[in-house]
Amino acid sequence: MRLPRRPRLLVPVAITLVAIVIFFFVFAGIFTDWLWFDSVGYTTVFSTMLVTQLLLFVFGALLMGGIVGGNILIAFRSRPLFGIGMFGGSAQGADRYRAALDPHRKMIFIVGLAVLGLFTGSSTAGQWKTWLLFINGTPFDKVDPLFKMDVSFFMFTYPFIRMVLNFLFTAVIISIIAAAIVHYLYGGFRLNSPGLHATRAARVHLSVLVGLFVLLKAVAYWVDRYGLVFSDRGKVFGASYTDVNAVLPAKSILAIIALICAVLFFAGVIRPGGMLPGVGLGLLVLSAVLVGGVYPVLVEQFQVKPNQQSKERQFIDSNIRATRDAYGVASTEVTPYSAKTQGSQQEIASEASTIPGVRLLDPTVLPATYEQLQQIKGYYQFPESLDVDRYTIDGVSRDTVVAVREIGRPPDRNWINDHLVYTHGFGFVASPGSKTDPQGNPDFLVKDIPPTNGLGSFEPRIYFGEHSPDYSIVGGGKNIELDYPEQSGNGQGSGQVNTTYRGKGGVPIGNFFTRMLYAAKYGETNMLLSSSINDQSRILYNRDPRSRVQQVAPFLTLDGDPYPAIVNNRVQWIIDGYTMSEDYPYSQRRSFGDMTRDTSTDRFLTPQQPRDQINYIRNSVKATVDAYDGTVTLYSWDDNDPLLRTWEKAFGGVIQPKSKIPPQLMDHLRYPEDLFKVQRDVLGQYHVTNADAFYGGQDFWKVPEDPASSKTKQPPYYVTMRMPNETDPKFSLTTTMVPNNRDNLAAFMSVDATGGADTKIRILQLPSETTIRGPKQAQNAFDTKAASVLNDLRIGGTTETLNGNLLTLPFGGGLLYVQPVYVQPKVQNSARYPTLFRVLVMFGNDVGVGNTLKDALDQVFGQSAQTPSNPTTPGEPQTSAVTTDLATAYNNAQKAYDDGQKAIKSGDFAAYGEAQKRLADALKQLQSALDKQKAATPAASPSASPSATTTPNPASVSATPTPSASPAPSS
């Protein structure tokens, strides 16, 4: 029964409408992407990627379809005239399948090839980076130690050859399967009688296809020889003794055998029967097992393992050289460092001038402080981790903690507020890293709304930031955007100052067609209906700085921490871009995620990096994003990087030369944190350059655990400091290293982070025979020595302390630990925030606890730690402070004693035990205050041992006038 004409027409009409809708949404996505690239001036990137992927898609789909479809047609046209009956017997199964499929064979053929082409084309298009690297490859002018070929062959050519071989293998295998099915269905061969009966056409066709497969295998064996530089068989990454002396000749032999086997399969075209193909297949399998598998295992087991150190020496040496070169650490300078535990007065005096500038404000602790003091309104927000930069203040470069005030959630959520009113953040907040106000809060250089001009005037509006809305529609000529809140003269909130966007950022959205495309992109009909959108309106999206740079530079891997800076009166986001590869011969492959993971990334969820296993990295590009108009600029940073030059050939003109970097921007460029994390991880092993010592591994280091967390690594820190034998302090990126399975310090590592010419990593290697405290041990010492000062904050239960970043600094021939301690209310509420309370200092075994850094240094070093520009006369101020400490300690002791007596009378032994603990702590505090008083008197010798000012004498505690304690109750 046939359907009426009208219902029969509904099916194609519905299919057509669905196809039109799908096409419209696909077109909207592609065209709006082009509009975005056009708005930032990088249409060449979009067109290069689109054309390359489209051509690879078409080429891959047509080639795969041609190979597989051609073999299917050959099999079909060479089918026997009388079908399977020519062999005699029954073939009901094949006959049944053929009867079911034959009426639809054209549709199955077309649909099957279309699906195959779709998947193959998509896979081939996904290899666009491999193709562009291959056709634009730049020589490294360095050769690998095994084949003496330029490194560019392994970086650019070898991956492309492997891609082509994989494609051809896939095409031949699918062709063999498809041809066999067609031959079977149409009587070319049958399987249901003794032996395999096949027509000559089927035998010839399948023999040729299998012969092609074996021929490709011969080529693959030969190409695999070059892949030995990526072997992980030996002690280290790269070709090992077994690879060179067993696997390499085995691959060559297998290539020759596979070539012979391919000839035997091709001979099956001329000579009937399966003897020659069978001999070829057996020979190939047997040689692969014996030559390719058993022989290398025997060499490894009986030659290498008993003599591994001597056998692998030259290959370990090749790995060391390649790894140090590929990770950019070949120029690392390792200097033996004695790390004194007692400094002379002359050394201390000569270095004391650099210490008062040490950064005490921890950018991971202070976000809550910035939010409470500078959020202004609830719809603004600060990042979860602040940034450290440097600014010239009063003629001196200072470490500065910076952040931008970004827009957050509107108080009343609706489409207009979300996308038309609350469109941008406002302001830049900065404070010196070494200075606080009397309450322990940051001493802001730039603050408030409108911002103060402590760093000069600048455009304060933040339309592009890390927490900007997904999209905003701005610039319609109507002042409906919230600019900043306004206060009236009597202090009462009188509303807000409104504005409209006047920048060049974003995509014009004035005409109806463009609005319709974006309405489809975001699924939002209000874009079509809102009267606030007119021909002057622009849509801002892809607003995160990392996202914008990643879009215009898809060949880069970006650092996880963009940071803002005031450059030429504009807030600019600065992002470091890396060129990476996993194909540098002999260089050790490691996980990029594992190398860069530490406390900061775990705590603040730094964006995941797209490429994990790497063995080559360069900080090749510095990128900026203007916070007002979103302008993206890429600057070449490492002109000697062949990988960057290759990408510059592929995307011509998108990267500006290093000479174009403005001087003001150059002042804020810094050594990137992720690169330093990778390099310190590598140098944990590859500071050892002797192959025998490397094999033993006894001198390997690791990144210490963060004292604040027992599970993650301590992050590196930006801090201004002076390395030994240097005249001036420099803004540096620093870290410490400890021996494997130990917590004592093994090395101190730093690099000049100012972006200057001298950016080599410097390592101060500590003597292995001397035990110097590492970060965790230093933290334990701080917790022990500072307990008497800090416990009074914790006992009451109303406040808690937070340890800031534990900085390690070369000082006076030794190493100085500096740690800020913050205090905040213990009760969880939205208004609490940490303030700087104490500064802890340790040099050798001496610990100082002070209200300021200078106070703590004075306790450890005496008055030699005074800086000439900020002298402090010993006497009344210090004596007054000691007197206060004595009074506090005595009162604490008396209260603990009284509480203990009350507990005894009431029979509360638990309270009595707690009171006794407080009494013991108070006695220690009292003894410490007495020692400080003794050290502060004018008659005290200036050369007195520093430890005498910080370590109580147990013998003198009993002589301290304290309340008499009652004996402990018996149970």
Side-chain angles (χ1 to χ4, degrees):
M1 177 179 177
R2 299 185 63 185
L3 293 173
R5 179 175 178 83
R6 182 171 297 175
R8 281 191 288 128
L9 289 176
L10 290 178
V11 175
V13 169
I15 294 175
T16 303
L17 289 176
V18 170
I20 291 174
V21 171
I22 293 174
F23 174 79
F24 174 76
F25 278 98
V26 171
F27 173 78
I30 295 175
F31 191 70
T32 52
D33 285 346
W34 184 88
L35 290 175
W36 185 89
F37 276 95
D38 182 58
S39 71
V40 293
Y42 286 88
T43 53
T44 55
V45 174
F46 179 79
S47 59
T48 299
M49 288 194 302
L50 183 62
V51 171
T52 302
Q53 292 180 56
L54 184 61
L55 290 177
L56 288 175
F57 178 91
V58 172
F59 180 79
L62 291 180
L63 183 59
M64 182 64 74
I67 293 174
V68 176
N71 280 283
I72 291 175
L73 289 176
I74 291 173
F76 178 75
R77 291 178 179 177
S78 62
R79 66 190 183 282
L81 182 61
F82 299 105
I84 59 175
M86 65 175 293
F87 296 121
S90 172
Q92 295 181 358
D95 192 35
R96 195 163 51 246
Y97 295 141
R98 185 178 69 253
L101 297 176
D102 200 54
H104 311 288
R105 65 174 183 270
K106 290 185 179 180
M107 178 64 69
I108 294 172
F109 178 76
I110 294 172
V111 172
L113 288 185
V115 172
L116 178 63
L118 179 65
F119 282 102
T120 305
S122 299
S123 176
T124 307
Q127 301 292 326
W128 63 273
K129 290 184 180 180
T130 303
W131 166 251
L132 288 178
L133 288 173
F134 170 69
I135 63 173
N136 296 287
T138 302
F140 276 67
D141 296 327
K142 296 177 183 178
V143 297
D144 77 289
L146 180 58
F147 298 101
K148 309 302 180 185
M149 300 182 68
D150 192 272
V151 171
S152 61
F153 170 80
F154 302 96
M155 295 278 278
F156 308 136
T157 306
Y158 178 76
F160 176 75
I161 294 174
R162 296 300 314 178
M163 182 188 78
V164 172
L165 283 174
N166 289 336
F167 180 91
L168 294 178
F169 269 121
T170 303
V172 171
I173 291 172
I174 294 177
S175 295
I176 292 173
I177 295 172
I181 291 173
V182 174
H183 281 301
Y184 174 71
L185 290 177
Y186 289 94
F189 66 86
R190 73 178 184 187
L191 304 173
N192 58 347
S193 63
L196 174 65
H197 297 275
T199 64
R200 184 177 185 280
R203 176 172 51 79
V204 169
H205 187 195
L206 294 176
S207 294
V208 170
L209 287 176
V210 175
L212 287 174
F213 176 84
V214 177
L215 183 62
L216 284 174
K217 192 63 179 174
V219 175
Y221 276 132
W222 188 260
V223 173
D224 285 347
R225 297 163 63 252
Y226 300 106
L228 292 178
V229 298
F230 306 122
S231 171
D232 57 1
R233 181 192 298 269
K235 176 70 174 178
V236 293
F237 190 80
S240 64
Y241 179 90
T242 301
D243 291 319
V244 173
N245 294 280
V247 179
L248 180 60
K251 293 287 186 183
S252 301
I253 293 171
L254 288 172
I256 296 172
I257 293 175
L259 184 61
I260 294 172
C261 293
V263 173
L264 293 177
F265 275 102
F266 290 139
V269 175
I270 302 172
R271 182 173 178 175
M275 186 184 71
L276 290 179
V279 169
L281 182 61
L283 179 61
L284 183 62
V285 172
L286 183 63
S287 58
V289 172
L290 295 179
V291 180
V294 176
Y295 177 59
V297 170
L298 294 176
V299 171
E300 179 75 19
Q301 184 67 35
F302 296 104
Q303 290 190 38
V304 176
K305 285 190 175 181
N307 311 283
Q308 190 176 40
Q309 183 171 353
S310 60
K311 294 291 187 183
E312 299 285 10
R313 182 180 292 116
Q314 74 175 92
F315 306 104
I316 293 174
D317 189 63
S318 297
N319 171 267
I320 291 173
R321 290 198 303 271
T323 301
R324 287 170 62 89
D325 181 71
Y327 286 97
V329 297
S331 63
T332 299
E333 179 182 294
V334 180
T335 305
Y337 192 62
S338 61
K340 299 177 182 178
T341 57
Q342 293 290 335
S344 67
Q345 297 295 328
Q346 183 178 0
E347 289 172 326
I348 301 304
S350 66
E351 303 231 16
S353 61
T354 66
I355 294 300
V358 170
R359 176 178 57 79
L360 298 177
L361 299 186
D362 186 342
T364 64
V365 174
L366 288 180
T369 305
Y370 269 49
E371 184 172 298
Q372 287 297 322
L373 301 180
Q374 284 297 308
Q375 185 181 23
I376 310 298
K377 291 291 185 179
Y379 45 76
Y380 288 123
Q381 63 177 328
F382 285 99
E384 292 180 311
S385 180
L386 310 180
D387 291 294
V388 179
D389 199 356
R390 70 229 185 250
Y391 286 87
T392 300
I393 303 168
D394 298 329
V396 180
S397 179
R398 301 290 188 190
D399 295 0
T400 310
V401 180
V402 301
V404 294
R405 187 184 294 106
E406 296 198 49
I407 199 69
R409 293 169 61 92
D412 184 16
R413 299 297 303 276
N414 55 64
W415 184 80
I416 293 177
N417 280 342
D418 287 351
H419 301 291
L420 301 183
V421 178
Y422 292 85
T423 59
H424 62 279
F426 199 97
F428 183 91
V429 180
S431 57
S434 59
K435 187 178 180 182
T436 61
D437 65 14
Q439 289 74 42
N441 296 320
D443 187 19
F444 293 107
L445 287 165
V446 183
K447 61 180 181 177
D448 298 340
I449 298 178
T452 56
N453 60 355
L455 297 176
S457 60
F458 60 94
E459 170 56 63
R461 295 165 183 85
I462 311 297
Y463 279 91
F464 296 86
E466 295 180 283
H467 301 284
S468 298
D470 54 348
Y471 73 89
S472 294
I473 300 175
V474 298
K478 302 176 181 179
N479 290 343
I480 62 173
E481 299 175 45
L482 165 69
D483 201 21
Y484 57 87
E486 183 183 40
Q487 292 291 112
S488 64
N490 59 8
Q492 299 297 319
S494 61
Q496 63 190 41
V497 175
N498 286 358
T499 188
T500 187
Y501 183 67
R502 294 179 176 83
K504 61 180 181 180
V507 177
I509 198 174
N511 67 73
F512 181 79
F513 179 70
T514 306
R515 290 166 65 179
M516 184 172 62
L517 293 178
Y518 279 100
K521 180 182 180 71
Y522 290 104
E524 183 54 69
T525 57
N526 284 319
M527 291 188 186
L528 298 173
L529 304 176
S530 175
S531 60
S532 298
I533 303 176
N534 54 42
D535 57 0
Q536 301 178 47
S537 298
R538 311 176 77 89
I539 183 169
L540 310 179
Y541 62 104
N542 285 348
R543 302 166 72 177
D544 177 74
R546 289 185 82 258
S547 173
R548 292 180 76 79
V549 175
Q550 194 68 78
Q551 288 283 97
V552 303
F555 47 88
L556 295 177
T557 300
L558 302 181
D559 192 89
D561 184 26
Y563 60 99
I566 298 176
V567 179
N568 295 326
N569 303 322
R570 301 289 282 262
V571 176
Q572 298 278 352
W573 291 97
I574 301 174
I575 307 101
D576 286 281
Y578 308 117
T579 46
M580 292 182 180
S581 176
E582 60 178 356
D583 297 317
Y584 197 97
Y586 275 92
S587 176
Q588 193 74 32
R589 282 180 183 166
R590 296 197 175 186
S591 165
F592 183 75
D594 289 345
M595 289 189 287
T596 56
R597 185 173 297 114
D598 56 26
T599 303
S600 61
T601 58
D602 283 357
R603 181 178 178 185
F604 300 112
L605 301 177
T606 299
Q608 293 292 318
Q609 303 292 356
R611 196 168 191 171
D612 197 33
Q613 290 292 322
I614 66 167
N615 67 357
Y616 176 90
I617 183 172
R618 290 290 185 272
N619 177 210
S620 52
V621 171
K622 300 287 187 180
T624 63
V625 176
D626 190 292
Y628 183 70
D629 60 26
T631 299
V632 180
T633 310
L634 307 177
Y635 297 102
S636 172
W637 187 246
D638 187 350
D639 296 326
N640 297 320
D641 177 22
L643 188 51
L644 176 64
R645 295 204 301 271
T646 298
W647 285 121
E648 286 180 312
K649 289 180 185 177
F651 296 95
V654 301
I655 301 176
Q656 298 190 28
K658 188 175 183 179
S659 59
K660 296 289 186 180
I661 298 178
Q664 271 203 17
L665 175 59
M666 186 69 78
D667 290 341
H668 295 281
L669 298 182
R670 67 187 191 188
Y671 203 87
E673 195 169 351
D674 281 351
L675 176 63
F676 190 69
K677 291 178 184 179
V678 168
Q679 291 174 328
R680 73 172 178 176
D681 187 90
V682 170
L683 284 170
Q685 290 182 325
Y686 288 89
H687 69 278
V688 179
T689 56
N690 179 273
D692 290 332
F694 191 96
Y695 180 87
Q698 63 269 19
D699 291 328
F700 287 172
W701 306 330
K702 66 176 182 179
V703 180
E705 294 177 347
D706 192 333
S709 172
S710 60
K711 296 181 180 179
T712 53
K713 295 180 289 188
Q714 185 181 38
Y717 297 123
Y718 289 103
V719 62
T720 295
M721 44 146 274
R722 182 169 64 190
M723 288 290 283
N725 302 321
E726 289 185 348
T727 56
D728 299 315
K730 293 180 180 178
F731 183 66
S732 304
L733 187 54
T734 67
T735 190
T736 54
M737 304 293 284
V738 297
N740 281 343
N741 304 317
R742 296 284 301 280
D743 288 322
N744 58 287
L745 202 62
F748 174 82
M749 186 183 305
S750 75
V751 66
D752 178 6
T754 60
D758 183 19
T759 55
K760 66 181 177 182
I761 295 174
R762 296 186 60 188
I763 297 177
L764 302 180
Q765 185 169 2
L766 278 62
S768 57
E769 66 274 9
T770 304
T771 300
I772 307 296
R773 296 190 187 190
K776 287 188 72 174
Q777 295 170 329
Q779 187 67 63
N780 289 337
F782 281 151
D783 291 343
T784 301
K785 297 291 182 68
S788 60
V789 178
L790 302 179
N791 276 349
D792 58 334
L793 293 172
R794 302 163 181 154
I795 291 172
T798 59
T799 59
E800 62 183 358
T801 58
L802 301 174
N803 292 329
N805 42 210
L806 180 59
L807 302 177
T808 309
L809 307 169
F811 182 82
L815 289 167
L816 182 75
Y817 284 105
V818 178
Q819 184 177 52
V821 177
Y822 299 84
V823 64
Q824 69 178 8
K826 194 171 185 179
V827 177
Q828 294 281 351
N829 60 69
S830 60
R832 75 170 189 161
Y833 62 90
T835 57
L836 184 64
F837 176 70
R838 291 288 188 269
V839 180
L840 312 180
V841 167
M842 186 173 78
F843 186 86
N845 294 320
D846 299 323
V847 175
V849 183
N851 294 327
T852 65
L853 177 59
K854 190 185 80 62
D855 292 342
L857 290 170
D858 285 348
Q859 292 179 30
V860 174
F861 299 114
Q863 295 304 311
S864 62
Q866 305 284 350
T867 62
S869 60
N870 187 25
T872 298
T873 303
E876 183 163 342
Q878 190 170 356
T879 303
S880 174
V882 171
T883 302
T884 302
D885 289 343
L886 277 170
T888 301
Y890 181 85
N891 291 334
N892 289 342
Q894 186 64 56
K895 186 176 187 308
Y897 172 76
D898 293 339
D899 291 345
Q901 294 304 302
K902 292 178 182 178
I904 284 292
K905 291 178 181 179
S906 62
D908 189 349
F909 296 138
Y912 175 80
E914 190 271 341
Q916 288 298 100
K917 291 180 181 178
R918 287 194 286 121
L919 178 60
D921 291 338
L923 292 177
K924 291 179 182 179
Q925 185 180 7
L926 188 61
Q927 180 62 48
S928 177
L930 287 171
D931 288 341
K932 291 179 186 178
Q933 185 182 48
K934 185 184 298 182
T937 58
S941 171
S943 60
S945 170
S947 62
T949 66
T950 57
T951 307
N953 182 358
S956 66
V957 173
S958 60
T960 303
T962 59
S964 58
S966 298
S970 59
S971 57

